[in-house]
Amino acid sequence: MYTACLIGTGRIGFSLGFDKKREQPASHTMALLKEKRIRLVAGCDTDKEKLEAWGRYVPSARTFSDADTMLSEIKTDVIVIAVNEDAHLEAAIKAINAKPKLVILEKPVALNSADGNRIKEEALKCGVPVMINHERRFARDYRIAKNYIQKIGKLQSIKATLFSGMRVYSAKNEDDGGYSLLHDGTHLVDIVQFFLEPLPIFAKPEEHCILQNPVITGVHYDEKEPDVIRNLSAHFSHPECSDITMEFSGRSRYFGFEVEITGTEGRIKIGNGFAECQKREESKLYTGFYSLTKDKSVKFPKKTGYFANMVSGACDFLDGTAPLYSSLENGLNVLHTLEEIKNAVLSLEN
């Protein structure tokens, strides 16, 4: 049994656990409570109403209005950080200095690479491992898709898209992280890197993917706010795939997250609420040709276990039976790629 405390009792920390449309558990609190190897003993938040609501739901745990007091009075094996992006650096440094056995840090690592590297330096100095909640790495559907890559031949292209109504980027939001390139783009970049990492899954967790040669292929600015980017597409290369495109939309009237991986022998399509693997077979339409058809032997689960598997993976790491499946280094590589995209856009403007 490991003890845990939570910094941040807001949406991802707590209240998303009541969203009836989401697969549950969908918050850190609910996932921690579900894991039999974890005992949640304390939580803190500067928002009095959120903290009181959390305390009523977890009556066995102590509540605190600030992290300093909680970390000085309670020592736990795991410290979970679920605060806004602009508070990650401060919260992470405090948690690491409390020297738990593991810190679970909500994505993204920080607002920028400089802050992320400060967290890394502190973690190395204190000898505290840090796990980043890149939730799709733990989802069963994405793991099945990852394993299927070896069946689609040589990779020809990867196309990843993120659609929402949130601004893609604005320099005015650098200090609060209020733009989708960072907020949800973190997931998009990380899952592309996940698909490009060596097989089998997590066989070599120390080998992290780094995308190369970023080229901006399209930018659309807001008509009313010229400094706000509403659409952005970028092209990358990698030794395993020379054609990688990521598209970010901030003027869509829906939320979408999709990845399409095309190989010489098949294709994988996966995103929010759907997944399909296709294989090469003799065409039913043209004599002497081959076409792609759905591989019915691949069964995707209705429940992906994305959040529960993250906490379970943390306990496996603490048990010494598994590596960190979503490490601080993974998160720093994501920040590096996002900053390369921003810098490439700025170079176009200049």
Side-chain angles (χ1 to χ4, degrees):
M1 178 71 73
Y2 301 104
T3 55
C5 64
L6 173 67
I7 302 176
T9 61
R11 290 181 78 249
I12 196 68
F14 177 49
S15 63
L16 288 181
F18 300 102
D19 188 334
K20 294 182 179 180
K21 292 186 177 181
R22 291 177 186 254
E23 178 190 326
Q24 294 295 335
S27 70
H28 288 282
T29 295
M30 306 315 187
L32 290 166
L33 291 174
K34 183 177 181 179
E35 174 54 54
K36 294 180 180 179
R37 289 171 287 178
I38 290 283
R39 183 163 60 91
L40 184 56
V41 299
C44 73
D45 202 299
T46 56
D47 188 307
K48 183 179 179 181
E49 290 185 5
K50 291 177 180 178
L51 183 62
E52 288 179 348
W54 185 86
R56 288 192 295 271
Y57 193 82
V58 194
S60 61
R62 294 179 63 184
T63 57
F64 297 85
S65 60
D66 67 276
D68 289 321
T69 304
M70 181 178 72
L71 296 176
S72 66
E73 293 188 15
I74 293 183
K75 302 300 180 184
T76 59
D77 300 307
V78 180
I79 300 175
V80 180
I81 300 172
V83 295
N84 292 336
E85 291 92 339
D86 56 353
H88 276 204
L89 175 61
E90 181 180 0
I93 296 296
K94 290 180 180 179
I96 290 167
N97 276 277
K99 296 188 177 180
K101 294 178 180 178
L102 178 67
V103 168
I104 298 176
L105 176 59
E106 184 55 41
K107 64 78 194 170
V109 173
L111 288 174
N112 50 62
S113 290
D115 285 357
N117 286 329
R118 286 181 62 190
I119 293 173
K120 179 181 178 179
E121 290 170 4
E122 202 70 21
L124 290 173
K125 183 179 76 174
C126 295
V128 175
V130 179
M131 171 186 273
I132 308 302
N133 185 27
H134 290 135
E135 59 192 36
R136 287 172 179 80
R137 285 179 174 262
F138 303 94
R140 296 187 189 98
D141 52 350
Y142 280 90
R143 292 190 180 189
I144 290 170
K146 167 76 171 176
N147 279 324
Y148 196 80
I149 285 180
Q150 57 193 327
K151 297 183 179 181
I152 67 173
K154 297 291 185 181
L155 297 186
Q156 298 187 89
S157 67
I158 298 176
K159 183 177 181 181
T161 51
L162 170 64
F163 305 99
S164 76
M166 187 180 188
R167 67 184 70 82
V168 173
Y169 176 71
S170 172
K172 292 186 297 185
N173 295 103
E174 283 278 5
D175 292 336
D176 62 16
Y179 56 96
S180 68
L181 184 64
L182 180 70
H183 188 71
D184 292 305
T186 301
H187 284 306
L188 196 72
V189 172
D190 181 69
I191 206 62
V192 170
Q193 295 183 164
F194 170 73
F195 280 129
L196 288 167
E197 288 167 6
L199 277 165
I201 296 176
F202 312 126
K204 299 179 180 179
E206 73 281 358
E207 292 189 18
H208 305 288
C209 167
I210 299 178
L211 301 176
Q212 301 168 353
N213 307 315
V215 177
I216 302 302
T217 54
V219 182
H220 177 86
Y221 292 89
D222 191 291
E223 289 83 356
K224 296 181 180 180
E225 298 180 85
D227 63 323
V228 173
I229 294 176
R230 287 292 174 184
N231 271 87
L232 173 64
S233 57
H235 184 275
F236 294 86
S237 64
H238 183 270
E240 297 298 323
C241 184
S242 60
D243 185 8
I244 303 168
T245 300
M246 283 188 257
E247 180 182 351
F248 306 86
S249 170
R251 53 179 181 156
S252 300
R253 298 179 65 185
Y254 62 92
F255 183 79
F257 187 102
E258 305 171 3
V259 182
E260 181 176 309
I261 307 168
T262 303
T264 55
E265 304 281 333
R267 182 165 56 199
I268 300 166
K269 295 182 178 181
I270 188 168
N272 289 353
F274 71 92
E276 183 176 290
C277 293
Q278 299 173 335
K279 62 179 179 178
R280 170 184 176 269
E281 286 189 343
E282 189 172 340
S283 178
K284 297 179 181 179
L285 303 174
Y286 311 105
T287 301
F289 283 80
Y290 287 82
S291 299
L292 293 181
T293 60
K294 181 179 179 179
D295 189 338
K296 296 181 180 179
S297 69
V298 181
K299 306 296 183 182
F300 285 96
K302 291 183 179 180
K303 298 289 186 180
T304 70
Y306 67 102
F307 228 120
N309 288 345
M310 184 274 292
V311 174
S312 177
C315 289
D316 291 341
F317 170 77
L318 293 173
D319 287 346
T321 61
L324 278 182
Y325 293 155
S326 185
S327 68
L328 180 56
E329 202 65 35
N330 290 126
L332 291 174
N333 283 343
V334 170
L335 283 181
H336 174 76
T337 298
L338 293 175
E339 288 182 354
E340 283 202 322
I341 293 173
K342 289 190 294 183
N343 291 336
V345 171
L346 294 175
S347 67
L348 290 176
E349 294 176 353
N350 296 331

